[in-house]
């Protein structure tokens, strides 16, 4: 409770400030834009439940890779042709398994992808072969355990 009181007082102190120098048109020069891309999935369905949160582009930015948690595949989307090119199957369990939950993915090269989970990250080939697994509990960041 004491920490919460301190946090509220700190927040209130940070929010107080003089606004007499602020111009009326201060935010009028800020412009936002968004771009919409339409992808042809063919006879398949693109996984958008995670809103592409864990997706990553290839190094040459020609492909978008998105992990589909429903059928446990890696979707390769061709950004030049705007179409779902293929779905690369991955195992959920077993020696080459990704596990039940897949977080973010990172494309490292044309043949390797890093898949992050809650307490580890795993290096895979695009053929679904597990190359290396690293557990976060063995590492620290500046003396603080991760």
């Amino acid at each position: 409770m004491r920490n919460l009181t301190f946090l509220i007082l700190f927040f209130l102190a940070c929010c107080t400030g003089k606004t007499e120098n602020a111009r009326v048109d201060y935010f009028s020069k800020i412009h936002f834009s968004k771009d919409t891309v339409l992808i042809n999935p063919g006879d398949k369905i693109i996984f958008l439940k995670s809103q592409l949160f864990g997706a990553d582009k290839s190094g040459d930015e020609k492909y978008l890779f998105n992990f589909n948690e429903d059928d446990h595949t890696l979707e390769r989307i061709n950004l030049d042709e705007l179409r779902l090119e293929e779905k690369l199957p991955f195992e959920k369990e077993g020696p080459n398994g990704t596990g039940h939950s897949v977080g973010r993915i990172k494309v490292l090269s044309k043949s390797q992808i890093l898949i992050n989970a809650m307490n580890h990250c795993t290096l895979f080939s695009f053929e679904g072969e597990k190359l290396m697994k690293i557990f976060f509990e063995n590492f620290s960041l500046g003396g603080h355990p991760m």
Side-chain angles (χ1 to χ4, degrees):
M1 184 67 180
R2 200 168 126 207
N3 291 335
L4 181 63
T5 305
F6 177 72
L7 183 63
I8 291 171
L9 289 174
F10 179 75
F11 180 71
L12 290 174
C14 291
C15 292
T16 60
K18 297 181 180 180
T19 58
E20 61 236 12
N21 294 336
R23 297 185 325 261
V24 176
D25 64 342
Y26 182 76
F27 290 108
S28 66
K29 294 182 175 33
I30 297 176
H31 299 284
F32 295 98
S33 65
K34 66 179 181 176
D35 193 8
T36 303
V37 177
L38 184 63
I39 303 293
N40 180 6
D43 60 346
K44 299 174 178 79
I45 297 174
I46 297 175
F47 182 78
L48 296 173
K49 285 183 187 176
S50 300
Q51 302 172 358
L52 299 177
F53 176 71
D56 192 28
K57 288 191 291 186
S58 61
D60 57 5
E61 298 190 354
K62 292 184 178 183
Y63 295 99
L64 176 71
F65 291 93
N66 182 38
F67 197 85
N68 186 328
E69 294 180 19
D70 287 343
D71 61 6
H72 227 68
T73 59
L74 184 66
E75 301 169 340
R76 180 167 48 190
I77 299 168
N78 188 323
L79 295 175
D80 290 335
E81 300 175 11
L82 298 177
R83 67 179 179 89
L84 176 62
E85 198 166 86
E86 68 178 319
K87 292 180 126 187
L88 306 166
F90 278 76
E91 294 178 18
K92 193 174 208 175
E93 298 175 351
N96 289 321
T98 61
H100 293 285
S101 63
V102 173
R104 298 182 62 97
I105 63 171
K106 176 72 179 158
V107 178
L108 298 178
S109 68
K110 292 183 179 184
S111 62
Q112 295 178 340
I113 186 166
L114 187 69
I115 298 179
N116 289 330
M118 183 65 78
N119 62 350
H120 66 275
C121 62
T122 311
L123 182 66
F124 284 93
S125 70
F126 279 111
E127 289 78 32
E129 179 185 354
K130 185 186 292 184
L131 304 174
M132 183 186 309
K133 188 172 189 175
I134 301 169
F135 289 93
F136 296 143
E137 63 192 22
N138 298 331
F139 292 89
S140 66
L141 182 62
H144 300 288
M146 295 176 79

